[in-house]
Amino acid sequence: MHAQNRWDGPMRHSSMPQIPMPPPLQSQLFNQPGWPNINQIHPAQFPNGMLPMGGFNMPLFPPQMVQDSFIVPPVEPAEEKIILQTLVESKNRKESYKDALNSLHGRNGHTASQWKDYYLDHKDRLDETISVYLNPPKVALQAIKKPSPSAYKVEPSPARSLPPKPKRQDSLQRAPPTTGKRNTINSLTAPAPVFGDRLPPPNADIQIPDPPSRSPSPPTVVIPHRGRGNKYTPEDRDFFLKFIAWRLQGDPSLTRNDLCAMLAEKAPHHTAQSWASYWSNKHDVPDKILAAAKGDDYVSEESESEEEAKRPMGRRPMYKDLSSEEDDDDDDDDEDKSSQSELVDDDDDDEPITVHPESEMGPKGGPFTDADLYITAKYTLTCPNFANVAGKERWEPYSESYPQRSAKSWAEYYRRNEKIKRCFTPNQLQQSNMDEEYDVIVLGTGLTECILSGLLSVEGKKVLHMDRNDYYGGDSASLNLTQRLADAEVSQLYRKFRPDQAPPAELGRDRDYAVDLIPKFIIASGELTKILVHTDVTRYLEFKQIAGSFVYRDGKISKVPSTEMEAVRSPLMGLFEKRRAKKFFEFLQGWKDNDPATHQGINLDRDSMKTVYEKFGLETGTQDFIGHAMALYLDDDYINKPARPTYDRIILYTSSMARYGKSPYIYPLYGLGELPQSFARLSAIYGGTYMLDKQIDKIVTDSDGKFVGVTSGGETVKAKQVIGDPSYFGAGNEKESGTLQVIEVGKVVRAICLLRHPIPGTDDSDSVQLVIPQNQVGRRNDIYIAMVSSTHNVCAKDIYVAIVSTIVETDRPELEIVPGLNLLGPIHEKFVSISPLYEPTSDGKQDNIFITRSYDATSHFETVVEDVQDVWQRVTGSPLVLKKREVDVQQ
């Protein structure tokens, strides 16, 4: 049973209307000095979504900042007792200090921020006062040496004399159980503490691990605990320390509760409550990491109440018995290993599997059958992200496919049935996957293919995704420098470009690199952004804005203005030309399709862009700037075509520029390779099956030429349709029938350059988009330069990755990008590639073979989304429609 269609609104190629965001985010993104204040602009004045240039240079300070700095007096020492009383009461109510201080907002005319600032300024003294009040000092015996463990004895009343020193014994003697009067052990008779993994010696030098350069991957091994919840594995422990170190490196203000909530989101096989309990039991190292991040001396957080530590934090799975461990688990490594061995037993690899069809599954209200066990076990193992998602995300898609039982019922069945967890071995599972029949097989894990795979899975299609590579991304992957393969250090980037050469040691650590193979940025209001926020894939991604957009003109680099002041100072135009350009942009701003008075005698659907330029008397250089730096055309063919598409492109550029300021582009942290991986995760959540490092031997068709299946390793898996990138369909080679499935329509030359400095002339920006219009260098096609740096977590510190690309026009491609290379300055390392551009020869409706296009030379993903929309309509027979949300971007 297919899932109900989830798309809510049409996806149109027009600017994305401004979407309401929380006020703090609006203040962060827009209300900065010199940035456009879109909150001051009424959308009805400009129906096309383009903001007026006069909207720039209207800085707005947040009201809270004005109130705190200029109106409200600070908290006085005489008011300190209010804070003390509130914090003491918060301890009794099991309430956090943050909530308690927030409750003081407006008290005595002070804001919550001012109360918090006073507390932080006097934190040590106030905490000590509260601690003394809550825990009055007790009279304790001093200078008394504790006996060894074997010497103590249990007695009704505590002994006051020091017992004699006993002989050393190997084991700890336990007191026999007694009845009647309650026995106690005082400080004199208590055994000496046994130090180990759970309790290191008090003077031990606890080493704080270095924070990782990127967000650590969630644990992949999940071992169910007997009864309920999951065990804590060594992989969990390693992830736990790395994750909190990484998070605190970015935001030292995070609390322990905040971190536990984040842990539960990233690794939801344990709840936030379970992570908090685990922290309390293994507190020494994480407490020291937390204290070091806050710049304080090491102080254990044991002073926090146990009840507060056990309160639920953050998002919790709908079914807590699925992935939570309410009690701490003390099991050792031997038990962990034995549990894992139960899950996978290599001796059973060759045992046959009894395949059960869906028709044998138990009916609604009836008992579970062997078919339920078989199909549920296969679902849990074919979903690569199954262990890392909450119960709701695990079982709701499964319940939609098998609605005879609710998601909660399937979740409970999985929790109670241990056979599900060891039903398949890896070899048996792969064999079982190849034996099934699918709705769609997707070949290649490029961004286009992964978007389609994710969307089809959400629609309820049964999808098998295969790739010949051992990594996600295909041609849109991000490669590191070195990768351990078969117990040997092999360079991923160098393996592709220089197989016989190792990377220089001065480039730094391998884990710091994620080098894109194609240079593209995401337009902030573009179609890819709409898909990202519609599918909620943004929960797997973090974005950062590109610092600036530049254009090469008259032998020098100039910034594309993003504010009115930059436009006034820009050297791109003279004074009189700026006036003409202003009239041109005002014409675009005021255009209304249903108001002929705004048309000034121009018909955008009939008149060419050349006619529009001539009407406003714009110079050739200004036309180059508008057409190539704003409309982002590769060549000048657009000038003689109707003006409507160019108008839409300029509106898209300006609305994207106004959305976040500085530039219209955003970029995912850790490289573009994160995009296909995130859509692959989306597909996996909704039942998609993935097979990497799987060579494709043959595309099988019947006697009529229609698609039947795919052969790999001598086995054929069947499906109704296949989608794939051109490399899986001959890429220019003839089929057995003598026909071509794809044809070459051009070539792109790209040079990946590693620099030790920013690009000269770009104001030392850490990331740029630089366009060299074709007329400036005597070419037919533009040259693009895209540069990112360590601020985007794609390379080591003080290294910059610049990619120069263009359409090949001659038989000497590398010489064609020399104008771009000359702008980079000294180049430390350079990797040049020439990639053919392929397009399918048919629409695939006759043979059910749907082939995507190669990634072109454009600097954005708009053409990629156009290909996604085209393939989607050909595969499903209906257009792709989406709804709109919002995406957060780091400045």
Side-chain angles (χ1 to χ4, degrees):
M1 179 174 181
H2 297 325
Q4 185 177 359
N5 193 307
R6 289 172 170 74
W7 315 144
D8 296 334
M11 182 177 190
R12 304 176 58 181
H13 188 71
S14 64
S15 63
M16 187 178 189
Q18 295 299 322
I19 301 171
M21 294 183 294
L25 185 59
Q26 290 180 342
S27 298
Q28 178 186 358
L29 298 184
F30 302 116
N31 299 335
Q32 301 293 331
W35 288 10
N37 177 17
I38 64 169
N39 296 322
Q40 300 289 325
I41 301 171
H42 197 283
Q45 295 175 322
F46 304 98
N48 52 24
M50 180 176 179
L51 298 177
M53 297 183 68
F56 296 111
N57 199 24
M58 296 174 62
L60 176 66
F61 293 97
Q64 184 72 30
M65 182 185 301
V66 176
Q67 184 183 19
D68 288 354
S69 302
F70 302 105
I71 300 176
V72 182
V75 178
E76 299 294 338
E79 299 170 302
E80 183 177 294
K81 61 182 181 181
I82 297 177
I83 296 181
L84 291 172
Q85 180 181 0
T86 302
L87 296 183
V88 169
E89 291 175 353
S90 72
K91 282 287 188 180
N92 297 330
R93 292 196 303 267
K94 315 278 189 306
E95 185 181 48
S96 68
Y97 278 8
K98 177 181 178 182
D99 293 337
L101 293 172
N102 281 337
S103 68
L104 292 177
H105 184 74
R107 184 84 171 268
N108 288 7
H110 302 305
T111 65
S113 298
Q114 290 176 306
W115 289 110
K116 292 177 185 177
D117 290 342
Y118 186 89
Y119 168 73
L120 293 175
D121 291 340
H122 307 83
K123 178 178 183 299
D124 294 339
R125 180 171 54 80
L126 294 176
D127 286 348
E128 183 178 358
T129 304
I130 295 171
S131 177
V132 171
Y133 178 82
L134 295 175
N135 303 291
K138 298 180 180 180
V139 178
L141 296 177
Q142 299 180 354
I144 299 179
K145 187 175 181 180
K146 292 183 179 181
S148 64
S150 59
Y152 81 91
K153 60 180 179 179
V154 180
E155 48 189 341
S157 61
R160 292 294 180 182
S161 60
L162 187 66
K165 186 176 181 180
K167 296 181 180 180
R168 182 177 179 180
Q169 298 187 13
D170 295 333
S171 59
L172 186 67
Q173 296 181 0
R174 298 185 180 274
T178 60
T179 58
K181 186 176 181 180
R182 179 174 177 267
N183 295 317
T184 60
I185 302 176
N186 67 1
S187 60
L188 296 179
T189 59
V194 180
F195 301 119
D197 177 58
R198 290 174 59 84
L199 183 63
N203 297 324
D205 184 15
I206 301 176
Q207 299 295 328
I208 301 178
D210 293 332
S213 61
R214 58 172 295 173
S215 176
S217 300
T220 56
V221 177
V222 178
I223 303 177
H225 188 266
R226 55 184 177 274
R228 61 179 179 176
N230 300 308
K231 295 181 180 180
Y232 278 92
T233 65
E235 191 177 4
D236 285 331
R237 295 164 189 146
D238 182 61
F239 168 76
F240 169 70
L241 295 177
K242 288 182 178 179
F243 182 82
I244 62 175
W246 176 75
R247 274 295 183 183
L248 287 170
Q249 183 184 34
D251 185 2
S253 65
L254 293 173
T255 65
R256 188 167 81 169
N257 287 356
D258 295 335
L259 292 167
C260 290
M262 294 176 179
L263 282 163
E265 283 196 33
K266 190 76 172 179
H269 58 291
H270 300 300
T271 62
Q273 181 179 349
S274 179
W275 281 117
S277 177
Y278 180 74
W279 187 321
S280 297
N281 286 279
K282 309 281 186 180
H283 65 84
D284 290 84
V285 177
D287 277 359
K288 196 164 187 178
I289 294 174
L290 183 61
K294 295 181 180 299
D296 301 329
D297 293 332
Y298 169 48
V299 179
S300 174
E301 293 194 14
E302 289 298 317
S303 59
E304 293 188 7
S305 64
E306 290 298 322
E307 291 80 10
E308 181 176 352
K310 291 181 180 180
R311 282 190 293 116
M313 293 160 289
R315 184 187 66 181
R316 299 190 60 179
M318 180 175 290
Y319 314 118
K320 63 181 182 180
D321 49 13
L322 276 180
S323 57
S324 64
E325 181 182 354
E326 305 299 321
D327 301 320
D328 184 59
D329 181 22
D330 296 337
D331 48 290
D332 55 18
D333 292 343
D334 293 338
E335 185 174 348
D336 289 343
K337 293 177 182 178
S338 64
S339 299
Q340 295 182 49
S341 64
E342 291 177 2
L343 297 178
V344 179
D345 186 0
D346 294 337
D347 295 338
D348 297 334
D349 283 358
D350 297 330
E351 291 185 4
I353 300 176
T354 303
V355 179
H356 298 275
E358 295 181 2
S359 59
E360 296 180 3
M361 296 180 72
K364 181 177 181 180
F368 289 95
T369 66
D370 290 340
D372 290 308
L373 175 68
Y374 169 83
I375 294 172
T376 304
K378 189 168 184 180
Y379 167 74
T380 62
L381 294 176
T382 53
C383 177
N385 202 46
F386 181 83
N388 298 326
V389 295
K392 180 178 180 180
E393 294 177 340
R394 282 183 180 182
W395 297 106
E396 280 196 349
Y398 188 66
S399 178
E400 290 173 355
S401 298
Y402 304 103
Q404 63 268 33
R405 305 185 195 277
S406 66
K408 189 172 184 179
S409 177
W410 284 120
E412 184 69 11
Y413 175 62
Y414 170 77
R415 185 184 72 82
R416 293 179 177 275
N417 201 325
E418 290 293 327
K419 292 182 180 179
I420 295 177
K421 303 175 181 63
R422 52 177 183 268
C423 185
F424 294 105
T425 65
N427 291 346
Q428 292 171 333
L429 177 62
Q430 191 171 90
Q431 174 65 43
S432 175
N433 289 334
M434 296 295 289
D435 290 340
E436 286 201 21
E437 182 171 349
Y438 295 84
D439 294 322
V440 182
I441 294 177
V442 181
L443 302 179
T445 54
L447 178 58
T448 307
E449 292 74 35
C450 285
I451 292 176
L452 288 165
S453 174
L455 295 176
L456 289 168
S457 296
V458 173
E459 280 291 290
K461 299 290 185 182
K462 189 175 182 180
V463 178
L464 173 63
H465 208 143
M466 306 170 73
D467 196 313
R468 65 170 70 92
N469 298 312
D470 57 355
Y471 55 84
Y472 289 95
D475 291 338
S476 59
S478 299
L479 304 183
N480 56 19
L481 293 184
T482 59
Q483 182 186 37
R484 182 167 294 278
L485 297 173
D487 298 326
E489 289 284 343
V490 182
S491 167
Q492 220 180 20
L493 186 65
Y494 280 71
R495 177 179 59 173
K496 182 175 181 64
F497 293 100
R498 302 176 189 173
D500 301 326
Q501 181 180 344
E506 60 266 22
L507 288 180
R509 300 179 300 182
D510 160 65
R511 66 182 184 179
D512 292 335
Y513 285 84
V515 181
D516 299 328
L517 294 180
I518 60 171
K520 288 184 182 291
F521 293 145
I522 302 173
I523 297 181
S525 294
E527 300 299 321
L528 180 57
T529 305
K530 296 177 185 178
I531 292 180
L532 287 169
V533 297
H534 161 73
T535 57
D536 203 20
V537 169
T538 50
R539 59 184 161 170
Y540 309 127
L541 299 164
E542 294 179 83
F543 296 89
K544 188 174 180 66
Q545 188 179 19
I546 297 301
S549 179
F550 295 81
V551 63
Y552 178 81
R553 181 177 174 184
D554 298 332
K556 60 181 180 180
I557 299 173
S558 300
K559 189 178 188 301
V560 178
S562 60
T563 67
E564 185 178 11
M565 187 58 66
E566 287 184 0
V568 171
R569 296 176 178 176
S570 175
L572 290 172
M573 307 175 197
L575 179 60
F576 295 105
E577 183 66 7
K578 286 179 180 177
R579 291 181 178 178
R580 290 188 287 268
K582 180 181 179 182
K583 292 181 180 180
F584 170 78
F585 287 115
E586 287 175 346
F587 163 72
L588 297 182
Q589 292 169 8
W591 177 274
K592 296 179 182 179
D593 286 335
N594 57 356
D595 186 1
T598 65
H599 297 177
Q600 300 187 28
I602 292 177
N603 187 324
L604 294 180
D605 297 313
R606 184 181 64 245
D607 295 332
S608 67
M609 199 62 205
K610 181 179 181 180
T611 302
V612 179
Y613 286 150
E614 290 175 349
K615 178 175 179 60
F616 292 94
L618 299 181
E619 298 174 353
T620 302
T622 305
Q623 296 178 23
D624 281 346
F625 162 71
I626 294 173
H628 297 273
M630 297 184 70
L632 301 175
Y633 281 109
L634 289 170
D635 52 43
D636 276 346
D637 291 347
Y638 79 97
I639 290 181
N640 297 313
K641 296 179 180 179
R644 175 72 70 176
T646 305
Y647 164 81
D648 290 337
R649 283 173 172 247
I650 296 173
I651 295 298
L652 174 62
Y653 185 93
T654 54
S655 63
S656 298
M657 178 78 79
R659 191 172 190 181
Y660 300 125
K662 294 193 296 186
S663 84
Y665 304 110
I666 58 177
Y667 182 85
L669 297 185
Y670 309 109
L672 297 178
E674 295 293 300
L675 294 173
Q677 291 189 60
S678 298
F679 281 102
R681 183 177 297 181
L682 174 70
S683 175
I685 288 176
Y686 285 91
T689 302
Y690 276 78
M691 291 184 180
L692 297 182
D693 199 15
K694 193 74 172 174
Q695 294 298 321
I696 306 302
D697 302 329
K698 184 180 180 182
I699 306 297
V700 182
T701 57
D702 60 16
S703 58
D704 296 329
K706 290 189 175 183
F707 173 74
V708 173
V710 173
T711 299
S712 175
E715 300 172 337
T716 299
V717 56
K718 296 181 179 181
K720 301 178 181 68
Q721 297 170 313
V722 64
I723 301 172
D725 70 57
S727 66
Y728 290 90
F729 300 94
N733 298 323
E734 293 187 357
K735 292 200 311 183
E736 296 178 359
S737 61
T739 60
L740 290 174
Q741 291 181 295
V742 294
I743 57 173
E744 182 179 323
V745 294
K747 288 184 173 67
V748 177
V749 56
R750 300 183 178 102
I752 301 173
C753 304
L754 303 184
L755 313 177
R756 291 188 173 275
H757 53 81
I759 296 177
T762 60
D763 302 326
D764 292 334
S765 300
D766 57 24
S767 55
V768 301
Q769 165 71 29
L770 174 56
V771 179
I772 306 177
Q774 35 89 20
N775 288 333
Q776 298 294 318
V777 289
R779 288 176 47 80
R780 172 175 169 73
N781 295 278
D782 294 350
I783 300 175
Y784 289 100
I785 301 176
M787 189 199 75
V788 289
S789 63
S790 58
T791 60
H792 305 85
N793 300 337
V794 296
C795 58
K797 187 178 181 181
D798 298 326
I799 297 291
Y800 299 81
V801 180
I803 306 180
V804 185
S805 61
T806 189
I807 297 288
V808 175
E809 299 176 3
T810 69
D811 57 355
R812 304 180 69 181
E814 192 168 349
L815 292 180
E816 299 184 40
I817 57 175
V818 168
L821 297 175
N822 290 339
L823 297 179
L824 302 182
I827 299 175
H828 187 68
E829 290 285 339
K830 182 174 66 175
F831 307 90
V832 179
S833 64
I834 301 171
S835 305
L837 299 178
Y838 293 108
E839 291 185 355
T841 57
S842 66
D843 59 13
K845 294 180 180 179
Q846 299 298 321
D847 53 13
N848 291 326
I849 298 176
F850 304 93
I851 306 174
T852 60
R853 298 197 301 261
S854 302
Y855 299 102
D856 58 23
T858 57
S859 61
H860 49 78
F861 285 101
E862 297 306 290
T863 53
V864 174
V865 178
E866 290 175 5
D867 193 24
V868 169
Q869 294 170 329
D870 178 54
V871 174
W872 175 274
Q873 183 155 10
R874 287 188 277 132
V875 170
T876 65
S878 59
L880 178 63
V881 291
L882 303 172
K883 61 183 178 182
K884 300 163 185 171
R885 301 179 189 171
E886 187 54 270
V887 57
D888 294 347
V889 177
Q890 297 181 17
Q891 295 299 315

